[in-house]
């Protein structure tokens, strides 16, 4: 939420509609974050072998990669031109992979808006044994290097590591690239 607020504050000349769009994103993220915390607390409180206290697959609160179009629409409304490439056949993903992929795309688009030069390419690829997400954007005047504490990059790296995935982010040929490969536990 802080990243979205900072991004909105750092873009000069936002009109009222763009400010309202940014506030909607912040509100949605806070509601989703609270729901995710409730789920995690419920899972942590669960006595061994007793079944989940909170359903981690609750359809009303779980962010999923299949909802990435909403993220793209909000990024576009905030002024980021996003081109989306999809490969493979979309399918249900394990809860952790689904949420991590969604959050990584969300963070990457926010960083592209904040540090980029107004455009980004998003890749969502369903592969036989996993899913790949990537965001590639031209860098802005600051060279695309994150100017904050780097918590967003650290968070993305940690999400990937928790799922035995691979994470890479950094400058490449005048662009900033984030690429994450998350295994789904399916046979290749």
């Amino acid at each position: 939420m802080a990243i979205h607020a900072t991004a909105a504050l750092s873009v000069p000349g936002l009109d009222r509609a763009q400010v309202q769009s940014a506030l909607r994103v912040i509100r949605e993220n806070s509601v989703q974050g609270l729901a995710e915390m409730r789920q995690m607390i419920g899972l942590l409180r669960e006595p061994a072998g007793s079944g989940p206290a909170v359903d981690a697959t609750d359809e009303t609160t779980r962010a999923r990669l299949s909802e990435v179009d909403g993220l793209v629409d909000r990024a576009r409304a905030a002024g980021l031109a996003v081109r989306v490439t999809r490969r493979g056949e979309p399918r249900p993903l394990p809860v952790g992979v689904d949420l991590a992929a969604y959050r990584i795309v969300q963070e990457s688009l926010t960083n592209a808006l904040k540090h980029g030069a107004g455009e980004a390419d998003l890749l969502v690829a369903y592969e036989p044994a996993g899913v790949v997400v990537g965001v590639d954007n031209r860098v802005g005047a600051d060279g695309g290097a994150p100017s904050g504490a780097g918590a967003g990059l650290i968070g993305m790296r940690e999400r990937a590591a928790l799922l035995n995935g691979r994470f890479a982010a950094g400058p490449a040929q005048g662009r900033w690239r984030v690429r994450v490969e998350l295994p789904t536990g399916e046979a290749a």
Side-chain angles (χ1 to χ4, degrees):
M1 291 176 288
I3 291 169
H4 283 286
T6 302
L9 291 170
S10 68
V11 176
L14 288 179
D15 62 25
R16 182 164 175 81
Q18 290 172 314
V19 170
Q20 286 179 333
S21 175
L23 289 173
R24 275 193 291 280
V25 168
I26 291 167
R27 183 188 180 286
E28 289 170 14
N29 288 342
S30 66
V31 169
Q32 286 178 344
L34 288 171
E36 290 170 20
M37 279 199 300
R38 278 190 222 104
Q39 290 173 353
M40 186 59 68
I41 290 168
L43 291 172
L44 292 173
R45 285 184 179 166
E46 168 188 328
S50 69
V54 174
D55 183 1
T57 61
D58 182 358
E59 294 299 315
T60 62
T61 60
R62 187 168 60 95
R64 357 173 146 60
L65 189 57
S66 63
E67 297 171 357
V68 76
D69 288 336
L71 291 176
V72 169
D73 290 344
R74 289 189 293 274
R76 286 176 177 155
L80 184 66
V82 183
R83 290 175 296 278
V84 180
T85 301
R86 291 181 171 87
R87 292 195 316 237
E89 189 63 34
R91 64 183 183 278
L93 299 171
V95 173
V97 171
D98 218 3
L99 177 60
Y102 178 91
R103 291 293 183 218
I104 289 167
V105 169
Q106 183 178 43
E107 180 70 27
S108 296
L109 290 176
T110 298
N111 287 345
L113 179 63
K114 184 176 177 183
H115 302 289
E119 68 172 38
D121 293 298
L122 167 63
L123 168 68
V124 176
Y126 291 87
E127 297 187 344
V131 66
V132 174
V133 294
V135 174
D136 183 321
N137 61 279
R138 289 185 322 144
V139 295
D142 65 1
S147 59
L153 291 173
I154 292 168
M156 289 188 278
R157 179 174 279 110
E158 288 173 348
R159 284 183 188 273
L162 284 170
L163 296 166
N164 297 316
R166 290 190 288 184
F167 172 83
Q173 302 170 348
R175 298 179 72 82
W176 184 266
R177 292 193 176 139
V178 173
R179 181 177 170 96
V180 180
E181 300 173 26
L182 301 172
T184 55
E186 301 159 322

mmCIF file of all heavy atoms in Angstrom, residues 112-165:
data_model
loop_
_atom_site.group_PDB
_atom_site.id
_atom_site.type_symbol
_atom_site.label_atom_id
_atom_site.label_comp_id
_atom_site.label_asym_id
_atom_site.label_seq_id
_atom_site.Cartn_x
_atom_site.Cartn_y
_atom_site.Cartn_z
ATOM 1 N N ALA A 112 7.179 -0.476 -12.157
ATOM 2 C CA ALA A 112 7.277 0.058 -13.517
ATOM 3 C C ALA A 112 6.628 1.435 -13.591
ATOM 4 O O ALA A 112 7.141 2.343 -14.253
ATOM 5 C CB ALA A 112 6.626 -0.902 -14.506
ATOM 6 N N LEU A 113 5.519 1.606 -12.903
ATOM 7 C CA LEU A 113 4.843 2.906 -12.875
ATOM 8 C C LEU A 113 5.700 3.936 -12.148
ATOM 9 O O LEU A 113 5.859 5.063 -12.603
ATOM 10 C CB LEU A 113 3.475 2.765 -12.199
ATOM 11 C CG LEU A 113 2.656 4.040 -12.082
ATOM 12 C CD1 LEU A 113 2.293 4.581 -13.460
ATOM 13 C CD2 LEU A 113 1.394 3.771 -11.279
ATOM 14 N N LYS A 114 6.275 3.519 -11.046
ATOM 15 C CA LYS A 114 7.038 4.448 -10.201
ATOM 16 C C LYS A 114 8.398 4.803 -10.804
ATOM 17 O O LYS A 114 8.809 5.959 -10.783
ATOM 18 C CB LYS A 114 7.221 3.827 -8.816
ATOM 19 C CG LYS A 114 7.913 4.739 -7.828
ATOM 20 C CD LYS A 114 7.962 4.089 -6.463
ATOM 21 C CE LYS A 114 8.731 4.964 -5.491
ATOM 22 N NZ LYS A 114 8.862 4.344 -4.183
ATOM 23 N N HIS A 115 9.100 3.824 -11.339
ATOM 24 C CA HIS A 115 10.479 4.027 -11.777
ATOM 25 C C HIS A 115 10.658 3.995 -13.290
ATOM 26 O O HIS A 115 11.730 4.317 -13.781
ATOM 27 C CB HIS A 115 11.399 2.951 -11.176
ATOM 28 C CG HIS A 115 11.376 2.909 -9.690
ATOM 29 N ND1 HIS A 115 11.943 3.891 -8.918
ATOM 30 C CD2 HIS A 115 10.838 2.004 -8.836
ATOM 31 C CE1 HIS A 115 11.763 3.589 -7.638
ATOM 32 N NE2 HIS A 115 11.098 2.454 -7.562
ATOM 33 N N GLY A 116 9.640 3.561 -14.009
ATOM 34 C CA GLY A 116 9.782 3.365 -15.445
ATOM 35 C C GLY A 116 9.477 4.596 -16.264
ATOM 36 O O GLY A 116 9.266 5.692 -15.743
ATOM 37 N N ALA A 117 9.447 4.374 -17.565
ATOM 38 C CA ALA A 117 9.251 5.462 -18.524
ATOM 39 C C ALA A 117 7.887 5.363 -19.201
ATOM 40 O O ALA A 117 7.737 5.703 -20.364
ATOM 41 C CB ALA A 117 10.372 5.445 -19.547
ATOM 42 N N GLY A 118 6.876 4.860 -18.475
ATOM 43 C CA GLY A 118 5.512 4.913 -18.972
ATOM 44 C C GLY A 118 5.004 3.728 -19.745
ATOM 45 O O GLY A 118 3.878 3.742 -20.240
ATOM 46 N N GLU A 119 5.801 2.672 -19.866
ATOM 47 C CA GLU A 119 5.334 1.486 -20.579
ATOM 48 C C GLU A 119 5.915 0.227 -19.948
ATOM 49 O O GLU A 119 6.978 0.268 -19.326
ATOM 50 C CB GLU A 119 5.727 1.533 -22.054
ATOM 51 C CG GLU A 119 7.222 1.416 -22.265
ATOM 52 C CD GLU A 119 7.613 1.270 -23.725
ATOM 53 O OE1 GLU A 119 6.990 1.914 -24.582
ATOM 54 O OE2 GLU A 119 8.546 0.496 -23.994
ATOM 55 N N ALA A 120 5.196 -0.878 -20.109
ATOM 56 C CA ALA A 120 5.673 -2.160 -19.576
ATOM 57 C C ALA A 120 5.098 -3.304 -20.403
ATOM 58 O O ALA A 120 4.022 -3.193 -20.975
ATOM 59 C CB ALA A 120 5.260 -2.320 -18.120
ATOM 60 N N ASP A 121 5.846 -4.374 -20.449
ATOM 61 C CA ASP A 121 5.393 -5.616 -21.077
ATOM 62 C C ASP A 121 5.231 -6.651 -19.982
ATOM 63 O O ASP A 121 6.156 -6.876 -19.198
ATOM 64 C CB ASP A 121 6.427 -6.113 -22.099
ATOM 65 C CG ASP A 121 6.541 -5.179 -23.281
ATOM 66 O OD1 ASP A 121 5.542 -5.000 -23.992
ATOM 67 O OD2 ASP A 121 7.640 -4.614 -23.492
ATOM 68 N N LEU A 122 4.069 -7.284 -19.944
ATOM 69 C CA LEU A 122 3.774 -8.315 -18.955
ATOM 70 C C LEU A 122 3.671 -9.658 -19.663
ATOM 71 O O LEU A 122 2.971 -9.779 -20.673
ATOM 72 C CB LEU A 122 2.454 -8.002 -18.240
ATOM 73 C CG LEU A 122 1.850 -9.127 -17.397
ATOM 74 C CD1 LEU A 122 2.766 -9.501 -16.233
ATOM 75 C CD2 LEU A 122 0.466 -8.714 -16.892
ATOM 76 N N LEU A 123 4.352 -10.650 -19.125
ATOM 77 C CA LEU A 123 4.263 -12.017 -19.624
ATOM 78 C C LEU A 123 3.637 -12.889 -18.551
ATOM 79 O O LEU A 123 4.053 -12.847 -17.387
ATOM 80 C CB LEU A 123 5.670 -12.566 -19.945
ATOM 81 C CG LEU A 123 5.750 -14.084 -20.195
ATOM 82 C CD1 LEU A 123 5.030 -14.460 -21.482
ATOM 83 C CD2 LEU A 123 7.202 -14.540 -20.216
ATOM 84 N N VAL A 124 2.642 -13.676 -18.946
ATOM 85 C CA VAL A 124 2.072 -14.710 -18.083
ATOM 86 C C VAL A 124 2.110 -15.990 -18.915
ATOM 87 O O VAL A 124 1.441 -16.090 -19.944
ATOM 88 C CB VAL A 124 0.621 -14.391 -17.663
ATOM 89 C CG1 VAL A 124 0.045 -15.537 -16.844
ATOM 90 C CG2 VAL A 124 0.561 -13.082 -16.891
ATOM 91 N N ALA A 125 2.930 -16.958 -18.485
ATOM 92 C CA ALA A 125 3.111 -18.191 -19.250
ATOM 93 C C ALA A 125 2.811 -19.406 -18.368
ATOM 94 O O ALA A 125 3.461 -19.604 -17.344
ATOM 95 C CB ALA A 125 4.532 -18.272 -19.795
ATOM 96 N N TYR A 126 1.818 -20.167 -18.777
ATOM 97 C CA TYR A 126 1.501 -21.425 -18.104
ATOM 98 C C TYR A 126 2.313 -22.510 -18.795
ATOM 99 O O TYR A 126 2.116 -22.796 -19.974
ATOM 100 C CB TYR A 126 0.009 -21.727 -18.209
ATOM 101 C CG TYR A 126 -0.847 -20.789 -17.404
ATOM 102 C CD1 TYR A 126 -1.286 -19.576 -17.937
ATOM 103 C CD2 TYR A 126 -1.204 -21.101 -16.102
ATOM 104 C CE1 TYR A 126 -2.071 -18.710 -17.182
ATOM 105 C CE2 TYR A 126 -1.981 -20.241 -15.342
ATOM 106 C CZ TYR A 126 -2.410 -19.047 -15.895
ATOM 107 O OH TYR A 126 -3.181 -18.188 -15.145
ATOM 108 N N GLU A 127 3.254 -23.090 -18.064
ATOM 109 C CA GLU A 127 4.128 -24.121 -18.602
ATOM 110 C C GLU A 127 3.741 -25.455 -17.984
ATOM 111 O O GLU A 127 3.012 -25.488 -16.983
ATOM 112 C CB GLU A 127 5.579 -23.741 -18.342
ATOM 113 C CG GLU A 127 5.930 -22.448 -19.062
ATOM 114 C CD GLU A 127 7.395 -22.070 -18.992
ATOM 115 O OE1 GLU A 127 8.126 -22.625 -18.139
ATOM 116 O OE2 GLU A 127 7.799 -21.212 -19.790
ATOM 117 N N PRO A 128 4.220 -26.565 -18.540
ATOM 118 C CA PRO A 128 3.786 -27.869 -18.037
ATOM 119 C C PRO A 128 3.991 -28.094 -16.538
ATOM 120 O O PRO A 128 3.143 -28.670 -15.879
ATOM 121 C CB PRO A 128 4.629 -28.862 -18.858
ATOM 122 C CG PRO A 128 4.901 -28.132 -20.134
ATOM 123 C CD PRO A 128 5.062 -26.683 -19.734
ATOM 124 N N ALA A 129 5.093 -27.608 -15.975
ATOM 125 C CA ALA A 129 5.370 -27.865 -14.557
ATOM 126 C C ALA A 129 5.400 -26.596 -13.723
ATOM 127 O O ALA A 129 5.912 -26.599 -12.615
ATOM 128 C CB ALA A 129 6.695 -28.611 -14.419
ATOM 129 N N GLY A 130 4.853 -25.512 -14.255
ATOM 130 C CA GLY A 130 4.886 -24.277 -13.491
ATOM 131 C C GLY A 130 4.261 -23.119 -14.229
ATOM 132 O O GLY A 130 3.617 -23.283 -15.257
ATOM 133 N N VAL A 131 4.485 -21.957 -13.666
ATOM 134 C CA VAL A 131 4.001 -20.716 -14.272
ATOM 135 C C VAL A 131 5.146 -19.718 -14.240
ATOM 136 O O VAL A 131 5.954 -19.706 -13.304
ATOM 137 C CB VAL A 131 2.738 -20.188 -13.544
ATOM 138 C CG1 VAL A 131 3.045 -19.769 -12.126
ATOM 139 C CG2 VAL A 131 2.075 -19.067 -14.308
ATOM 140 N N VAL A 132 5.231 -18.907 -15.293
ATOM 141 C CA VAL A 132 6.257 -17.867 -15.389
ATOM 142 C C VAL A 132 5.547 -16.535 -15.519
ATOM 143 O O VAL A 132 4.607 -16.397 -16.302
ATOM 144 C CB VAL A 132 7.166 -18.086 -16.617
ATOM 145 C CG1 VAL A 132 8.145 -16.926 -16.794
ATOM 146 C CG2 VAL A 132 7.905 -19.406 -16.515
ATOM 147 N N VAL A 133 5.983 -15.562 -14.726
ATOM 148 C CA VAL A 133 5.502 -14.200 -14.886
ATOM 149 C C VAL A 133 6.719 -13.295 -15.035
ATOM 150 O O VAL A 133 7.767 -13.545 -14.436
ATOM 151 C CB VAL A 133 4.604 -13.725 -13.716
ATOM 152 C CG1 VAL A 133 3.315 -14.511 -13.670
ATOM 153 C CG2 VAL A 133 5.313 -13.784 -12.389
ATOM 154 N N GLY A 134 6.546 -12.280 -15.856
ATOM 155 C CA GLY A 134 7.634 -11.349 -16.057
ATOM 156 C C GLY A 134 7.102 -9.980 -16.421
ATOM 157 O O GLY A 134 6.069 -9.864 -17.074
ATOM 158 N N VAL A 135 7.806 -8.970 -15.977
ATOM 159 C CA VAL A 135 7.493 -7.592 -16.347
ATOM 160 C C VAL A 135 8.795 -6.956 -16.808
ATOM 161 O O VAL A 135 9.823 -7.063 -16.146
ATOM 162 C CB VAL A 135 6.870 -6.796 -15.183
ATOM 163 C CG1 VAL A 135 6.700 -5.328 -15.563
ATOM 164 C CG2 VAL A 135 5.533 -7.391 -14.789
ATOM 165 N N ASP A 136 8.717 -6.327 -17.958
ATOM 166 C CA ASP A 136 9.868 -5.715 -18.597
ATOM 167 C C ASP A 136 9.449 -4.291 -18.951
ATOM 168 O O ASP A 136 8.429 -4.099 -19.610
ATOM 169 C CB ASP A 136 10.177 -6.535 -19.857
ATOM 170 C CG ASP A 136 11.390 -6.077 -20.620
ATOM 171 O OD1 ASP A 136 11.613 -4.858 -20.736
ATOM 172 O OD2 ASP A 136 12.100 -6.945 -21.143
ATOM 173 N N ASN A 137 10.205 -3.295 -18.487
ATOM 174 C CA ASN A 137 9.825 -1.921 -18.786
ATOM 175 C C ASN A 137 11.039 -1.049 -19.067
ATOM 176 O O ASN A 137 12.135 -1.324 -18.587
ATOM 177 C CB ASN A 137 9.002 -1.312 -17.647
ATOM 178 C CG ASN A 137 9.754 -1.253 -16.345
ATOM 179 O OD1 ASN A 137 9.831 -2.258 -15.632
ATOM 180 N ND2 ASN A 137 10.321 -0.114 -16.013
ATOM 181 N N ARG A 138 10.806 -0.026 -19.894
ATOM 182 C CA ARG A 138 11.853 0.961 -20.118
ATOM 183 C C ARG A 138 12.096 1.681 -18.799
ATOM 184 O O ARG A 138 11.173 1.861 -18.018
ATOM 185 C CB ARG A 138 11.437 1.972 -21.183
ATOM 186 C CG ARG A 138 11.399 1.388 -22.577
ATOM 187 C CD ARG A 138 11.099 2.430 -23.635
ATOM 188 N NE ARG A 138 10.122 3.404 -23.161
ATOM 189 C CZ ARG A 138 10.143 4.695 -23.465
ATOM 190 N NH1 ARG A 138 11.074 5.190 -24.229
ATOM 191 N NH2 ARG A 138 9.214 5.516 -23.001
ATOM 192 N N VAL A 139 13.335 2.081 -18.588
ATOM 193 C CA VAL A 139 13.655 2.757 -17.340
ATOM 194 C C VAL A 139 13.444 4.258 -17.481
ATOM 195 O O VAL A 139 13.551 4.814 -18.562
ATOM 196 C CB VAL A 139 15.088 2.452 -16.867
ATOM 197 C CG1 VAL A 139 15.226 0.989 -16.518
ATOM 198 C CG2 VAL A 139 16.114 2.841 -17.910
ATOM 199 N N GLY A 140 13.134 4.888 -16.358
ATOM 200 C CA GLY A 140 12.918 6.324 -16.326
ATOM 201 C C GLY A 140 14.219 7.074 -16.130
ATOM 202 O O GLY A 140 15.314 6.524 -16.253
ATOM 203 N N ALA A 141 14.097 8.336 -15.796
ATOM 204 C CA ALA A 141 15.251 9.217 -15.623
ATOM 205 C C ALA A 141 16.186 8.740 -14.522
ATOM 206 O O ALA A 141 17.383 9.004 -14.558
ATOM 207 C CB ALA A 141 14.782 10.637 -15.325
ATOM 208 N N ASP A 142 15.626 8.002 -13.537
ATOM 209 C CA ASP A 142 16.477 7.525 -12.431
ATOM 210 C C ASP A 142 17.219 6.243 -12.776
ATOM 211 O O ASP A 142 17.843 5.638 -11.929
ATOM 212 C CB ASP A 142 15.649 7.340 -11.153
ATOM 213 C CG ASP A 142 14.591 6.251 -11.263
ATOM 214 O OD1 ASP A 142 14.499 5.598 -12.327
ATOM 215 O OD2 ASP A 142 13.859 6.047 -10.284
ATOM 216 N N GLY A 143 17.137 5.811 -14.046
ATOM 217 C CA GLY A 143 17.833 4.602 -14.475
ATOM 218 C C GLY A 143 17.106 3.332 -14.120
ATOM 219 O O GLY A 143 17.594 2.244 -14.362
ATOM 220 N N GLY A 144 15.915 3.446 -13.548
ATOM 221 C CA GLY A 144 15.118 2.281 -13.222
ATOM 222 C C GLY A 144 15.499 1.611 -11.926
ATOM 223 O O GLY A 144 14.843 0.695 -11.484
ATOM 224 N N ALA A 145 16.567 2.064 -11.311
ATOM 225 C CA ALA A 145 16.988 1.443 -10.061
ATOM 226 C C ALA A 145 16.029 1.857 -8.954
ATOM 227 O O ALA A 145 15.683 3.018 -8.832
ATOM 228 C CB ALA A 145 18.398 1.883 -9.707
ATOM 229 N N PRO A 146 15.565 0.895 -8.177
ATOM 230 C CA PRO A 146 14.666 1.240 -7.083
ATOM 231 C C PRO A 146 15.318 2.248 -6.149
ATOM 232 O O PRO A 146 16.468 2.086 -5.746
ATOM 233 C CB PRO A 146 14.439 -0.100 -6.378
ATOM 234 C CG PRO A 146 14.760 -1.131 -7.411
ATOM 235 C CD PRO A 146 15.820 -0.522 -8.279
ATOM 236 N N SER A 147 14.588 3.305 -5.823
ATOM 237 C CA SER A 147 15.158 4.342 -4.971
ATOM 238 C C SER A 147 14.814 4.143 -3.505
ATOM 239 O O SER A 147 15.329 4.838 -2.660
ATOM 240 C CB SER A 147 14.646 5.720 -5.430
ATOM 241 O OG SER A 147 13.236 5.752 -5.366
ATOM 242 N N GLY A 148 13.941 3.195 -3.214
ATOM 243 C CA GLY A 148 13.557 2.948 -1.829
ATOM 244 C C GLY A 148 14.490 1.953 -1.177
ATOM 245 O O GLY A 148 15.634 1.756 -1.584
ATOM 246 N N ALA A 149 13.971 1.290 -0.183
ATOM 247 C CA ALA A 149 14.760 0.327 0.580
ATOM 248 C C ALA A 149 14.894 -1.009 -0.131
ATOM 249 O O ALA A 149 15.608 -1.882 0.323
ATOM 250 C CB ALA A 149 14.117 0.122 1.956
ATOM 251 N N GLY A 150 14.192 -1.184 -1.250
ATOM 252 C CA GLY A 150 14.267 -2.441 -1.978
ATOM 253 C C GLY A 150 13.391 -3.527 -1.391
ATOM 254 O O GLY A 150 13.535 -4.700 -1.725
ATOM 255 N N ALA A 151 12.449 -3.158 -0.513
ATOM 256 C CA ALA A 151 11.589 -4.148 0.130
ATOM 257 C C ALA A 151 10.731 -4.893 -0.883
ATOM 258 O O ALA A 151 10.453 -6.074 -0.706
ATOM 259 C CB ALA A 151 10.705 -3.477 1.184
ATOM 260 N N GLY A 152 10.319 -4.206 -1.948
ATOM 261 C CA GLY A 152 9.501 -4.864 -2.968
ATOM 262 C C GLY A 152 10.251 -5.989 -3.652
ATOM 263 O O GLY A 152 9.730 -7.090 -3.823
ATOM 264 N N LEU A 153 11.496 -5.726 -4.035
ATOM 265 C CA LEU A 153 12.312 -6.761 -4.675
ATOM 266 C C LEU A 153 12.591 -7.901 -3.706
ATOM 267 O O LEU A 153 12.550 -9.074 -4.076
ATOM 268 C CB LEU A 153 13.624 -6.168 -5.195
ATOM 269 C CG LEU A 153 13.498 -5.217 -6.377
ATOM 270 C CD1 LEU A 153 14.847 -4.567 -6.682
ATOM 271 C CD2 LEU A 153 12.966 -5.940 -7.595
ATOM 272 N N ILE A 154 12.877 -7.546 -2.459
ATOM 273 C CA ILE A 154 13.130 -8.569 -1.449
ATOM 274 C C ILE A 154 11.885 -9.434 -1.264
ATOM 275 O O ILE A 154 11.969 -10.666 -1.218
ATOM 276 C CB ILE A 154 13.560 -7.934 -0.109
ATOM 277 C CG1 ILE A 154 14.932 -7.288 -0.263
ATOM 278 C CG2 ILE A 154 13.552 -8.961 1.026
ATOM 279 C CD1 ILE A 154 15.333 -6.382 0.890
ATOM 280 N N GLY A 155 10.721 -8.799 -1.186
ATOM 281 C CA GLY A 155 9.471 -9.539 -1.028
ATOM 282 C C GLY A 155 9.208 -10.482 -2.189
ATOM 283 O O GLY A 155 8.783 -11.630 -1.992
ATOM 284 N N MET A 156 9.459 -10.014 -3.411
ATOM 285 C CA MET A 156 9.267 -10.886 -4.576
ATOM 286 C C MET A 156 10.217 -12.071 -4.527
ATOM 287 O O MET A 156 9.822 -13.213 -4.772
ATOM 288 C CB MET A 156 9.456 -10.093 -5.873
ATOM 289 C CG MET A 156 8.336 -9.117 -6.169
ATOM 290 S SD MET A 156 8.461 -8.362 -7.815
ATOM 291 C CE MET A 156 9.643 -7.045 -7.511
ATOM 292 N N ARG A 157 11.478 -11.793 -4.201
ATOM 293 C CA ARG A 157 12.483 -12.865 -4.112
ATOM 294 C C ARG A 157 12.087 -13.888 -3.044
ATOM 295 O O ARG A 157 12.178 -15.098 -3.251
ATOM 296 C CB ARG A 157 13.858 -12.267 -3.791
ATOM 297 C CG ARG A 157 14.955 -13.325 -3.662
ATOM 298 C CD ARG A 157 16.330 -12.701 -3.500
ATOM 299 N NE ARG A 157 16.813 -12.323 -4.830
ATOM 300 C CZ ARG A 157 16.958 -11.073 -5.267
ATOM 301 N NH1 ARG A 157 16.700 -10.053 -4.498
ATOM 302 N NH2 ARG A 157 17.405 -10.840 -6.483
ATOM 303 N N GLU A 158 11.613 -13.393 -1.890
ATOM 304 C CA GLU A 158 11.207 -14.298 -0.811
ATOM 305 C C GLU A 158 9.986 -15.128 -1.203
ATOM 306 O O GLU A 158 9.928 -16.322 -0.885
ATOM 307 C CB GLU A 158 10.924 -13.501 0.458
ATOM 308 C CG GLU A 158 12.177 -12.966 1.110
ATOM 309 C CD GLU A 158 11.911 -12.038 2.283
ATOM 310 O OE1 GLU A 158 10.747 -11.614 2.482
ATOM 311 O OE2 GLU A 158 12.881 -11.736 3.006
ATOM 312 N N ARG A 159 9.016 -14.528 -1.876
ATOM 313 C CA ARG A 159 7.837 -15.287 -2.331
ATOM 314 C C ARG A 159 8.265 -16.428 -3.243
ATOM 315 O O ARG A 159 7.786 -17.549 -3.112
ATOM 316 C CB ARG A 159 6.850 -14.378 -3.056
ATOM 317 C CG ARG A 159 6.040 -13.483 -2.144
ATOM 318 C CD ARG A 159 5.029 -12.669 -2.959
ATOM 319 N NE ARG A 159 4.355 -11.672 -2.177
ATOM 320 C CZ ARG A 159 3.249 -11.877 -1.471
ATOM 321 N NH1 ARG A 159 2.698 -13.068 -1.452
ATOM 322 N NH2 ARG A 159 2.694 -10.901 -0.784
ATOM 323 N N ALA A 160 9.162 -16.119 -4.178
ATOM 324 C CA ALA A 160 9.635 -17.160 -5.097
ATOM 325 C C ALA A 160 10.407 -18.248 -4.349
ATOM 326 O O ALA A 160 10.199 -19.445 -4.580
ATOM 327 C CB ALA A 160 10.507 -16.543 -6.187
ATOM 328 N N ALA A 161 11.284 -17.845 -3.436
ATOM 329 C CA ALA A 161 12.099 -18.810 -2.697
ATOM 330 C C ALA A 161 11.236 -19.742 -1.849
ATOM 331 O O ALA A 161 11.513 -20.947 -1.763
ATOM 332 C CB ALA A 161 13.112 -18.086 -1.818
ATOM 333 N N LEU A 162 10.186 -19.207 -1.226
ATOM 334 C CA LEU A 162 9.300 -20.037 -0.402
ATOM 335 C C LEU A 162 8.627 -21.149 -1.205
ATOM 336 O O LEU A 162 8.251 -22.180 -0.657
ATOM 337 C CB LEU A 162 8.226 -19.175 0.268
ATOM 338 C CG LEU A 162 8.703 -18.349 1.450
ATOM 339 C CD1 LEU A 162 7.619 -17.364 1.879
ATOM 340 C CD2 LEU A 162 9.103 -19.243 2.613
ATOM 341 N N LEU A 163 8.503 -20.928 -2.501
ATOM 342 C CA LEU A 163 7.838 -21.907 -3.369
ATOM 343 C C LEU A 163 8.841 -22.686 -4.217
ATOM 344 O O LEU A 163 8.466 -23.354 -5.166
ATOM 345 C CB LEU A 163 6.829 -21.189 -4.267
ATOM 346 C CG LEU A 163 5.680 -20.520 -3.511
ATOM 347 C CD1 LEU A 163 4.937 -19.551 -4.412
ATOM 348 C CD2 LEU A 163 4.738 -21.573 -2.935
ATOM 349 N N ASN A 164 10.134 -22.597 -3.864
ATOM 350 C CA ASN A 164 11.206 -23.245 -4.632
ATOM 351 C C ASN A 164 11.246 -22.761 -6.071
ATOM 352 O O ASN A 164 11.562 -23.518 -6.990
ATOM 353 C CB ASN A 164 11.088 -24.775 -4.580
ATOM 354 C CG ASN A 164 11.257 -25.299 -3.181
ATOM 355 O OD1 ASN A 164 12.150 -24.864 -2.461
ATOM 356 N ND2 ASN A 164 10.382 -26.202 -2.776
ATOM 357 N N GLY A 165 10.914 -21.479 -6.259
ATOM 358 C CA GLY A 165 10.927 -20.886 -7.584
ATOM 359 C C GLY A 165 12.231 -20.165 -7.851
ATOM 360 O O GLY A 165 13.128 -20.125 -7.015
#
